[in-house]
Amino acid sequence: MSPKGSDGRMTVFEHLAELRRRILISIVVIVGTASLCYWFAPDIIRFFLHYYRDVTHGKKNQFIFTGPLDAFVTRLKVATYAGILLALPVWLWQLWRFITPGLSKREKKYAVPFVLSSLVLFAAGGVVAMAILPKALDFLLKAGGSELTPFLTADRYLTLVLLMILAFGLAFEFPVVLVFLLLARVITTKGLRRRRRYAIVGIFAFAAIITPSQDPYSLFFMAIPMCLFYEGSIIIGRIMKR
């Protein structure tokens, strides 16, 4: 535990030291989980290939790589992304532990619900991303017309898939962020209601920018849940009397 000043509050340097400690713990865990996932990377790649095979009706069963290091780098990238996802409970807990000193004793009791809801929402985002992946792929592969034949490298395809999972997972954390801001009294339910129209426009703009595939299916399947999360956060804020 970092030392505190005479008024019981941590200084700026102590906050930075605490942040560094939390980041180091998260990095060590991510390195460990990524190392574990490295051995299962071929199975993960095979799983993602299944979606591409369904869209192309089995016509394209394999991906290519064009450099001697590409296969290793691709496997390393898949392991890293998988490691980050597997370590999600740890770095979410470290994040919460870093921000709790600024909360009251009553508000600190939300630690477990914060981590659990974050995990569930991130997983839900990942499931939605994988559910719309076939539609997104079909749109992208046919966007250039019949004169263009897809011949993809493994790195580009897997990067797209992994970024979609990450983007949807992070987007589905939207209500957690709003509820935390309500707890910290940075925003109020009155302010959320007043800025509802601007928020909806901002959400659709955000979804259009953050979706890696840039297809209409991904945009709507990300933006609509975020709008529902926005309304849900207002309801939760009223219950918490914020």
Side-chain angles (χ1 to χ4, degrees):
M1 181 66 67
S2 299
K4 298 182 180 180
S6 58
D7 60 350
R9 295 185 177 181
M10 297 172 64
T11 66
V12 174
F13 292 106
E14 289 168 346
H15 272 295
L16 292 175
E18 180 72 5
L19 177 61
R20 182 181 64 179
R21 189 170 75 88
R22 299 293 177 187
I23 291 176
L24 285 175
I25 293 174
S26 300
I27 290 175
V28 169
V29 174
I30 290 173
V31 170
T33 52
S35 300
L36 177 65
C37 292
Y38 179 83
W39 300 103
F40 298 97
D43 297 317
I44 298 173
I45 293 172
R46 194 175 300 112
F47 171 76
F48 289 144
L49 176 61
H50 170 74
Y51 288 85
Y52 183 74
R53 185 182 297 118
D54 285 348
V55 172
T56 58
H57 306 291
K59 296 178 181 178
K60 299 289 183 179
N61 291 325
Q62 294 182 336
F63 294 111
I64 65 168
F65 58 92
T66 58
L69 296 177
D70 287 358
F72 172 73
V73 172
T74 299
R75 180 169 178 171
L76 196 62
K77 182 181 293 186
V78 170
T80 301
Y81 276 103
I84 292 173
L85 296 180
L86 197 60
L88 186 64
V90 175
W91 57 263
L92 281 175
W93 178 256
Q94 295 302 319
L95 174 63
W96 181 261
R97 291 294 295 167
F98 176 72
I99 62 181
T100 46
L103 301 177
S104 66
K105 184 176 294 186
R106 178 175 174 272
E107 291 166 344
K108 290 178 181 179
K109 295 179 181 178
Y110 293 105
V112 174
F114 167 81
V115 175
L116 290 180
S117 60
S118 298
L119 291 174
V120 171
L121 288 169
F122 194 98
V127 170
V128 172
M130 297 308 297
I132 66 169
L133 179 60
K135 285 287 185 181
L137 282 176
D138 186 62
F139 173 85
L140 294 173
L141 294 177
K142 294 178 179 178
S146 58
E147 298 300 320
L148 300 179
T149 301
F151 200 51
L152 307 181
T153 63
D155 178 66
R156 292 196 173 186
Y157 170 74
L158 292 171
T159 297
L160 172 66
V161 175
L162 293 169
L163 285 178
M164 281 190 65
I165 295 174
L166 185 61
F168 272 83
L170 291 177
F172 274 52
E173 298 293 331
F174 186 48
V176 176
V177 175
L178 289 180
V179 171
F180 171 74
L181 292 176
L182 287 168
L183 278 173
R185 302 181 188 275
V186 176
I187 58 176
T188 62
T189 52
K190 183 179 179 180
L192 290 177
R193 293 196 304 270
R194 188 170 61 248
R195 297 179 176 86
R196 181 183 279 114
R197 293 181 180 178
Y198 302 104
I200 292 174
V201 174
I203 285 171
F204 273 87
F206 172 82
I209 294 171
I210 197 176
T211 48
S213 58
Q214 301 293 304
D215 66 281
Y217 301 102
S218 299
L219 186 149
F220 283 103
F221 274 88
M222 179 182 289
I224 292 176
M226 288 183 71
C227 291
L228 296 176
F229 290 148
Y230 188 88
E231 297 298 327
S233 299
I234 294 176
I235 296 173
I236 295 174
R238 286 179 175 177
I239 296 173
M240 296 189 305
K241 298 180 179 180
R242 293 293 193 273

